[in-house]
């Protein structure tokens, strides 16, 4: 190729790239300028904007953002002479001069998540009615797969996978040094992937035999998270405007020619994950066509979540609530398809449901639990005694679903860890319609007036802080920042119970003991869009932690002081710049 041709092609690529970026930015700026002037968001106190271009975005979303979130909690409290402090709401500056809200006020959360239910992930740009209908159909098909009966039936599979990990780690200690340092994050990630693989997809990713047997998928998930951190701004503020421009082929073409390394990495990882999803789905489809015997011979024996989903979907009449093939396929994995064809749009947006969400959030939580137990040996020993005594009393190798979930101290440890160290500290959502929401307590606006409610216009970006909702000392008490599993073994503060915070895992689980039905589903947000895999994740954590704590003793690594948890989409530990969490492992006496 000649020099002239090279220069022309380079300039042409840059021109297309400039148009691809400038067009959505123009649409976004136009939308911000044309927002209703009736909102009082601009009167809500909040931090100053360091940049018109990005606003406070980079302060909210960066690996070291813990300090900024703490600053918001301490600075913008609701002050009242007669009422307790119960949460907060503050205004953030969105990119291009817009406004956003940072929320953990219980009353506001109740309204926007439970009563009004008008929030969606920031990547969605469909209208409210089509989104609600689409979500209702998928939820209807998935609910049977996540029923208590089916989750209970998965317990033996969970123990089988956990014992594979136990056997591998024991063999490592018995054939080498009796005390070794291991990267527990890596093992928790691989175990979570295999659990969701077998119980969720009826597919085995990892035999869990040694380091070299790890499936490429687990590495890709780790890389996906860090890459998505770097493009978070674009995925929230630009992707919704470009994801439907032109044909899928045109979008793929634009992705290919953009000189953007992170985007190309996302493309390649997405392609690989999609290939796995198709492989899993096609194998199940063939098994269903061959009959019940073929289904029973698969991993999961037809009782995994995807098999149940496919079976339930077959019962629906074509054209009613029956999911299309691409929608069923869309439940298999997590992907990022800016350029997907129409039949794969749902695959790219819904794959998160099983692998991505189930693997990374749960492995983060299990890693955090083991780290905390390593630093609290008396708590670790108390938990070990509870597990051993329960098994001795029942004279069984593995506890049943009911016996495991009713272990009070294990349950308290899981609740307290998820309270203080939420795997997903902050969630970004967008308002799909105008709403006026009342505040728990009035606040003083920037103009000196008292605000009892806030008008939120359609299109407003909302950052929901599970981190600060779970750590609010006005609700949880003066020891809110302390890890104290024992708090769950005695009555919780009245202020906390009266606040009715939706979406805080621990509160919702506590309510299960007091109130039946709907409050259980307010885990990881609340309302109709709450996390459907709550009980699956809960059982996963309890099985793995119970097996490991019974067999092994965990203590801090010599590099413990270097461990820093990164505040990304899903919290992850780093040591010396690498994503890992080393602990010292030995056999329990």
């Amino acid at each position: 190729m000649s020099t002239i041709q090279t220069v022309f092609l380079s300039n042409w690529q840059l021109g297309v790239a400039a148009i691809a970026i400038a067009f959505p930015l123009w649409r976004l700026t136009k939308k911000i300028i044309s927002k209703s002037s009736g909102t009082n968001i601009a009167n809500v106190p909040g931090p100053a904007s360091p940049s018109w271009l990005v606003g406070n975005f980079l302060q909210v979303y960066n690996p070291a953002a813990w300090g900024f979130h703490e600053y918001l909690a301490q600075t913008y409290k609701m002050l009242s002479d007669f009422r307790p402090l119960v949460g907060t709401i503050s205004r953030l500056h969105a990119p291009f001069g817009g406004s956003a809200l940072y929320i953990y006020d219980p009353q506001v959360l109740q309204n926007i998540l439970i009563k009004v239910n008008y929030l969606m992930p920031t990547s969605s740009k469909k209208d409210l009615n089509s989104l609600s209908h689409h979500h209702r159909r998928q939820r209807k098909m998935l609910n049977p797969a996540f029923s208590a009966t089916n989750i209970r039936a998965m317990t033996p599979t969970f123990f089988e996978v956990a014992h594979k990990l136990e056997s591998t780690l024991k063999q490592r200690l018995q054939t080498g040094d009796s005390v070794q340092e291991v990267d527990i994050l890596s093992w928790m990630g691989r175990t979570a992937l295999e659990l969701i693989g077998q119980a969720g997809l009826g597919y085995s990713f990892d035999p869990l035999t040694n380091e070299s047997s790890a499936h490429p998928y687990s590495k890709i998930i780790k890389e996906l998270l860090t890459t998505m951190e770097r493009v978070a701004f674009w995925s929230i503020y630009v992707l919704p405007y470009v994801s439907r421009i032109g044909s899928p082929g045109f979008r793929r073409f634009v992705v290919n020619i953009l000189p953007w390394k992170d985007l190309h990495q996302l493309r390649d990882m997405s392609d690989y994950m999609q290939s796995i999803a198709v492989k899993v789905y096609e194998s199940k489809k063939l098994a269903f066509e061959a009959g019940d015997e073929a289904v029973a011979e698969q991993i999961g024996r037809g009782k995994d979540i995807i098999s149940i989903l496919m079976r339930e979907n077959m019962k629906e009449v074509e054209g009613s609530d029956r999911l299309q093939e691409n929608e069923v396929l869309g439940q298999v994995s997590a992907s990022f398809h800016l350029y997907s064809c129409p039949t794969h749009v749902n695959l790219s947006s819904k794959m998160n449901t099983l692998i991505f969400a189930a693997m990374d959030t749960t492995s983060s939580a299990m890693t955090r639990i083991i780290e905390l137990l390593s630093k609290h040996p008396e708590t670790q020993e108390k938990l070990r005694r509870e597990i051993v005594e329960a098994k001795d009393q029942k004279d069984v190798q593995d506890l049943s679903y009911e016996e495991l979930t009713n272990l009070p101290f294990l349950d308290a440890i899981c609740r307290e860890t998820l309270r203080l160290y939420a795997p997903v500290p902050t969630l970004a959502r967008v308002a799909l319609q105008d709403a006026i929401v009342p505040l728990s307590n009035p606040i003083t606006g920037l103009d000196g007036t008292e605000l009892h409610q806030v008008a939120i216009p359609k299109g407003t970006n909302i950052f929901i802080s599970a981190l600060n909702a779970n750590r609010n000392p006005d609700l949880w008490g003066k020891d809110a920042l302390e890890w104290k599993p024992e708090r769950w073994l005695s009555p919780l503060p009245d202020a906390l119970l009266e606040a009715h915070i939706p979406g805080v895992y621990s509160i919702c689980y506590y309510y299960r003991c007091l109130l039946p039905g709907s409050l259980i589903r307010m885990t990881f947000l609340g309302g109709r869009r709450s996390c459907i895999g709550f009980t699956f994740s809960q059982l996963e954590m309890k099985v793995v932690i119970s097996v490991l704590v019974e067999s092994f003793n965990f203590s801090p690594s010599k590099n413990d002081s270097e461990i820093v948890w990164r505040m990304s989409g899903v919290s992850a530990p780093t040591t010396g710049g690498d994503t890992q969490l080393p602990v010292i492992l030995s056999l329990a006496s």
Side-chain angles (χ1 to χ4, degrees):
M1 183 179 292
S2 68
T3 303
I4 295 177
Q5 287 176 313
T6 302
V7 172
F8 174 78
L9 180 60
S10 176
N11 290 338
W12 177 75
Q13 288 177 325
L14 290 175
V16 173
I19 293 172
I21 294 174
F23 179 71
L25 294 184
W26 171 78
R27 288 186 59 183
L28 179 60
T29 305
K30 180 181 177 183
K31 177 182 175 182
I32 292 171
I33 295 173
S34 63
K35 276 187 179 178
S36 171
S37 60
T39 177
N40 61 348
I41 287 182
N43 199 25
V44 176
S49 173
S51 164
W52 177 87
L53 181 63
V54 297
N56 298 116
F57 182 84
L58 296 181
Q59 293 174 296
V60 174
Y61 278 104
N62 74 77
W66 303 105
F68 183 71
H69 288 260
E70 183 179 349
Y71 164 78
L72 292 176
Q74 293 178 350
T75 306
Y76 300 100
K77 279 183 172 292
M78 295 179 174
L79 299 178
S80 172
D81 295 332
F82 307 103
R83 285 162 291 204
L85 308 179
V86 286
T88 188
I89 179 172
S90 55
R91 177 206 177 196
L92 297 179
H93 293 270
F96 315 112
S99 293
L101 287 175
Y102 183 90
I103 294 172
Y104 69 92
D105 178 282
Q107 186 70 15
V108 177
L109 293 176
Q110 275 284 339
N111 276 273
I112 64 178
L113 296 178
I114 306 299
K115 296 179 182 179
V116 180
N117 188 40
Y118 77 127
L119 299 184
M120 277 298 291
T122 50
S123 59
S124 298
K125 283 295 170 186
K126 299 180 182 179
D127 65 89
L128 182 61
N129 290 332
S130 65
L131 280 169
S132 297
H133 175 67
H134 182 74
H135 179 265
R136 182 188 60 79
R137 289 170 57 240
Q138 292 201 343
R139 194 79 173 207
K140 178 182 176 182
M141 292 295 102
L142 281 169
N143 277 334
F146 286 96
S147 68
T149 301
N150 284 324
I151 295 297
R152 185 179 289 106
M154 295 175 187
T155 306
T157 300
F158 280 31
F159 271 111
E160 181 181 342
V161 173
H163 284 308
K164 284 184 180 179
L165 173 62
E166 175 194 26
S167 177
T168 296
L169 294 178
K170 276 187 175 179
Q171 184 179 20
R172 177 171 174 166
L173 294 175
Q174 291 167 348
T175 57
D177 293 338
S178 59
V179 178
Q180 295 186 30
E181 182 177 272
V182 299
D183 176 12
I184 202 64
L185 175 66
S186 174
W187 285 109
M188 291 300 94
R190 292 174 58 183
T191 303
L193 178 62
E194 182 63 6
L195 284 166
I196 191 62
Q198 291 202 24
L201 312 179
Y203 180 85
S204 179
F205 285 97
D206 192 336
L208 297 173
T209 51
N210 51 50
E211 280 81 356
S212 62
S213 68
H215 195 279
Y217 207 112
S218 58
K219 180 181 179 181
I220 284 179
I221 286 288
K222 183 186 295 186
E223 293 177 353
L224 178 68
L225 282 170
T226 55
T227 307
M228 290 183 71
E229 281 179 27
R230 297 194 293 269
V231 300
F233 173 84
W234 302 98
S235 66
I236 292 178
Y237 289 103
V238 178
L239 179 61
Y241 297 96
V242 301
S243 59
R244 296 183 180 277
I245 294 176
S247 67
F250 171 76
R251 295 196 294 271
R252 178 80 184 213
F253 169 74
V254 172
V255 168
N256 288 341
I257 66 170
L258 283 174
W260 192 354
K261 182 179 178 181
D262 286 337
L263 186 61
H264 292 171
Q265 287 180 332
L266 288 173
R267 174 200 62 197
D268 296 340
M269 289 186 283
S270 178
D271 286 346
Y272 175 78
M273 291 154 65
Q274 183 177 355
S275 69
I276 295 295
V278 172
K279 177 181 178 181
V280 171
Y281 179 75
E282 290 298 332
S283 68
K284 291 200 166 297
K285 186 178 175 182
L286 290 174
F288 272 103
E289 291 173 354
D292 292 341
E293 289 186 8
V295 173
E297 290 176 359
Q298 288 198 314
I299 296 174
R301 297 175 289 279
K303 297 180 181 180
D304 56 273
I305 292 171
I306 289 298
S307 294
I308 295 170
L309 172 62
M310 293 175 68
R311 194 177 296 113
E312 289 293 322
N313 198 44
M314 291 175 184
K315 298 177 184 177
E316 292 292 325
V317 178
E318 186 74 39
S320 59
D321 284 335
R322 188 171 184 175
L323 301 181
Q324 298 299 312
E325 183 173 284
N326 62 293
E327 292 181 281
V328 178
L329 178 61
Q331 305 304 318
V332 177
S333 181
S335 194
F336 184 92
H337 278 263
L338 176 63
Y339 47 83
S340 12
C341 61
T343 57
H344 286 124
V345 168
N346 289 304
L347 185 150
S348 61
S349 61
K350 299 301 179 185
M351 281 183 164
N352 240 341
T353 306
L354 291 181
I355 296 184
F356 185 65
M359 173 190 167
D360 226 65
T361 54
T362 307
S363 62
S364 174
M366 293 191 297
T367 300
R368 182 78 80 163
I369 289 174
I370 291 178
E371 180 193 30
L372 290 165
L373 291 175
S374 73
K375 296 179 179 180
H376 297 80
E378 70 291 342
T379 303
Q380 182 180 166
E381 183 55 35
K382 182 177 179 181
L383 175 60
R384 185 176 295 114
R385 286 199 306 270
E386 180 182 67
I387 296 167
V388 171
E389 289 172 4
K391 291 179 65 174
D392 288 347
Q393 184 179 1
K394 300 294 181 180
D395 193 22
V396 292
Q397 179 182 358
D398 294 321
L399 297 172
S400 67
Y401 173 83
E402 288 78 10
E403 292 162 351
L404 182 69
T405 56
N406 288 327
L407 292 178
F409 199 54
L410 173 61
D411 184 52
I413 286 172
C414 291
R415 297 189 208 178
E416 180 68 352
T417 303
L418 289 169
R419 177 195 72 83
L420 189 58
Y421 302 104
V424 182
T426 308
L427 286 161
R429 293 293 184 264
V430 64
L432 294 180
Q433 65 186 41
D434 296 337
I436 297 177
V437 294
L439 304 176
S440 297
N441 276 335
I443 62 174
T444 301
L446 295 176
D447 63 359
T449 60
E450 196 173 74
L451 303 179
H452 293 262
Q453 59 189 22
V454 175
I456 304 177
K458 177 181 177 180
T460 301
N461 283 105
I462 296 175
F463 297 96
I464 299 173
S465 177
L467 175 75
N468 284 322
N470 288 356
R471 296 181 174 194
N472 189 345
D474 305 310
L475 300 180
W476 293 91
K478 295 180 180 180
D479 60 355
L481 297 181
E482 297 178 33
W483 187 70
K484 295 177 64 175
E486 290 79 8
R487 79 172 73 240
W488 297 99
L489 304 179
S490 57
L492 295 172
D494 291 340
L496 175 65
L497 300 180
E498 292 168 3
H500 299 295
I501 304 175
V504 180
Y505 163 90
S506 303
I507 297 179
C508 302
Y509 189 77
Y510 176 75
Y511 278 149
R512 192 182 74 167
C513 304
L514 305 176
L515 301 172
S518 62
L519 287 177
I520 300 174
R521 59 192 177 96
M522 294 195 301
T523 305
F524 293 164
L525 288 189
R528 286 171 285 176
R529 298 188 183 277
S530 58
C531 175
I532 196 171
F534 162 49
T535 52
F536 185 100
S537 177
Q538 177 186 231
L539 180 62
E540 187 177 351
M541 285 189 289
K542 290 185 175 181
V543 168
V544 173
I545 295 301
S546 67
V547 169
L548 294 184
V549 169
E550 181 187 5
S551 296
F552 304 104
N553 184 70
F554 300 96
S555 56
S557 162
K558 62 180 180 180
N559 299 316
D560 183 69
S561 60
E562 300 178 17
I563 296 174
V564 176
W565 281 79
R566 195 176 64 239
M567 191 179 186
S568 49
V570 178
S571 299
T574 60
T575 307
D578 296 325
T579 304
Q580 59 178 338
L581 196 146
V583 295
I584 300 300
L585 183 73
S586 60
L587 292 173
S589 57

